[in-house]
């Protein structure tokens, strides 16, 4: 009996395709400079979402969740106060263009991304 498991041939392509929107979100925020300047940590992604933790800031949010809505070609940005027991959305920015993500992040958190 042969128990060798073979991954489907398109697995790598699926992973690459799933990275398109999270990569685009990060690039709109400033890419590597964004991570360094804001000290963003624990980045996680799904097919159309990027989320990460940020240090103490004026908004009191410590987690940011950005989701791309393919139907309307817009982004949703949530500023979340997260602790061990609960998460609370403090503020949300809806219907953002990709070019607006960095400015909205800086305005709401007062963290520089440049």
């Amino acid at each position: 009996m042969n128990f060798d498991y073979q991954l489907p041939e398109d697995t790598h392509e699926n992973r690459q395709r799933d990275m398109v929107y999270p990569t685009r979100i990060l690039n709109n925020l400033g890419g590597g400079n964004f991570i360094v300047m804001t000290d963003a940590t624990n980045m996680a992604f799904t097919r159309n979402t990027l989320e990460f933790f940020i240090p103490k800031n004026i908004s009191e949010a410590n987690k940011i969740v950005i989701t791309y809505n393919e139907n309307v070609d817009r982004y949703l940005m949530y500023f979340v106060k997260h602790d061990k027991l609960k998460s609370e959305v403090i503020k949300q920015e809806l219907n953002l263009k990709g070019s607006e993500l960095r400015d909205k992040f800086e305005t709401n958190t007062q963290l520089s991304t440049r």
Side-chain angles (χ1 to χ4, degrees):
M1 293 199 320
N2 185 358
F3 292 105
D4 291 338
Y5 178 73
Q6 299 277 329
L7 290 173
E9 289 181 28
D10 65 339
T11 299
H12 179 71
E13 284 116 19
N14 284 341
R15 276 186 270 150
Q16 290 294 97
R17 187 178 63 238
D18 288 349
M19 289 290 296
V20 169
Y21 296 126
T23 302
R24 190 177 296 163
I25 292 168
L26 183 57
N27 287 338
N28 282 324
L29 290 169
N33 279 350
F34 173 82
I35 295 169
V36 171
M37 294 297 290
T38 62
D39 197 23
T41 60
N42 298 335
M43 292 206 165
F45 69 92
T46 62
R47 185 174 177 281
N48 65 341
T49 300
L50 178 69
E51 60 184 59
F52 50 88
F53 286 89
I54 56 173
K56 190 177 256 188
N57 62 80
I58 196 168
S59 73
E60 296 184 9
N62 61 348
K63 183 177 183 180
I64 307 295
V65 179
I66 304 172
T67 302
Y68 177 68
N69 185 339
E70 293 178 73
N71 297 329
V72 292
D73 190 30
R74 293 286 192 246
Y75 296 87
L76 312 169
M77 183 182 290
Y78 300 97
F79 297 85
V80 181
K81 186 174 185 177
H82 176 78
D83 63 27
K84 293 179 182 178
L85 300 176
K86 65 178 181 169
S87 291
E88 173 188 357
V89 175
I90 295 173
K91 183 167 185 171
Q92 54 189 354
E93 295 282 353
L94 306 175
N95 295 319
L96 299 174
K97 296 178 186 175
S99 59
E100 298 172 323
L101 290 176
R102 179 184 275 189
D103 290 336
K104 291 295 184 181
F105 176 85
E106 287 181 343
T107 300
N108 286 295
T109 64
Q110 296 297 305
L111 295 174
S112 176
T113 64
R114 300 167 209 267

